[in-house]
Amino acid sequence: MGRSSLSLSAIEKRLRSQAGSSLSAPDAASGAEEGRVGKAIGQRASRASARVATTGKGKAGGGAPARAAGQVRIVGGAWRRRLLPVASGPGVPAGLRPTPDRVRETLFNWLGQDLGGWHCIDLCAGTGALGLEAASRGAASVLLLEQHAALVRQLRDLKTLLNADTVQVRQGDALAVLRELARRPASIDLLLLDPPFDADWYAPALEAARPVVRDGGYLYLEAGREWTDEELAGLGWQRWRYLKAGQVHAHLLQPV
């Protein structure tokens, strides 16, 4: 009887072992399959996240469109949020530097959002960012003056793209145009002066600009350093507002 009991016990163990094997094999296969499915889902999610991060698609809300390299955004006015291309390639000067969004927004907060009836000149138009902001806010006339032919072509394309009837584009030298305008004194409400930071003609331009701007008008000066009150007063200007943003020193001046 002891042998029968041992044999029965052994049989029960074998049956339990077989039952365990028959149950564990599918479980293992199922676990492996779930692992493969989970991995695939994770990979697809990662790729989708990467696409959203790269293109901005799938972003909730109605924010401004994502700006790619080589674009400038109009901050306010009729063309608010419009993304405009920036010229590149042969003939475009190195270090082309559109005025940052934050600085433009602050400048036109200082000036007021409605420039209806104003006559404006962007002396070193470059990308056109400053002058087009003025036109977007209703300026009666805006002259975009630029020396480089490649940028002049781009500015004319932008004028056409925006159907900007109040905007004129001209190729020329800033100092020469200021001396020409001095024959019609006090004719400009807003003069925008944003030369390359390494330009050596800031002071001559400020001096030549004084008779051009009407009393109560404004000159916006963007430079790589702060201009002191003493320097500006010697050239016929007083500082009304000032902002430093990164390397940009933004001055809003009025005639003394």
Side-chain angles (χ1 to χ4, degrees), residues 108-129:
F108 287 94
N109 284 339
W110 291 339
L111 293 169
Q113 297 299 321
D114 182 3
L115 303 189
W118 288 36
H119 298 281
C120 311
I121 298 179
D122 190 347
L123 276 173
C124 306
T127 65

Side-chain angles (χ1 to χ4, degrees), residues 5-226:
S5 298
L6 288 173
S7 298
L8 181 58
S9 177
I11 291 169
E12 288 174 347
K13 287 180 180 180
R14 280 196 301 272
L15 289 174
R16 284 197 297 268
S17 177
Q18 290 170 358
S21 298
S22 64
L23 292 172
S24 60
D27 288 347
S30 176
E33 180 64 19
E34 288 176 359
R36 285 193 295 272
V37 171
K39 183 178 180 180
I41 291 172
Q43 289 172 341
R44 286 196 295 270
S46 297
R47 288 194 295 269
S49 298
R51 285 195 299 271
V52 169
T54 302
T55 66
K57 294 180 180 178
K59 182 172 64 175
R67 178 174 54 190
Q71 292 181 317
V72 64
R73 177 187 291 120
I74 300 296
V75 174
W79 303 322
R80 183 170 180 254
R81 296 186 178 180
R82 285 292 297 269
L83 294 174
L84 305 176
V86 174
S88 61
V92 175
L96 187 62
R97 176 185 46 78
T99 300
D101 290 10
R102 174 195 168 195
V103 175
R104 279 183 282 128
E105 183 175 17
T106 300
L107 169 62
F108 287 94
N109 284 339
W110 291 339
L111 293 169
Q113 297 299 321
D114 182 3
L115 303 189
W118 288 36
H119 298 281
C120 311
I121 298 179
D122 190 347
L123 276 173
C124 306
T127 65
L130 284 171
L132 291 174
E133 287 284 357
S136 181
R137 289 167 167 80
S141 69
V142 176
L143 173 61
L144 302 179
L145 181 68
E146 176 53 51
Q147 188 172 15
H148 297 88
L151 295 178
V152 170
R153 288 192 296 271
Q154 177 72 71
L155 292 171
R156 286 176 176 152
D157 288 344
L158 293 178
K159 170 181 164 63
T160 301
L161 176 67
L162 295 169
N163 193 26
D165 295 334
T166 60
V167 174
Q168 292 183 323
V169 180
R170 176 176 170 182
Q171 184 172 4
D173 175 76
L175 286 175
V177 170
L178 284 174
R179 294 183 183 117
E180 175 188 326
L181 290 170
R183 295 197 290 267
R184 291 179 286 131
S187 58
I188 300 301
D189 299 285
L190 174 62
L191 197 61
L192 301 159
L193 179 59
D194 177 20
F197 283 169
D198 60 356
D200 59 0
W201 48 272
Y202 274 91
L206 288 167
E207 188 173 20
R210 176 59 191 87
V212 174
V213 177
R214 67 170 178 81
D215 290 340
Y218 298 94
L219 185 149
Y220 171 71
L221 170 65
E222 187 169 314
R225 68 171 180 89
E226 180 179 1

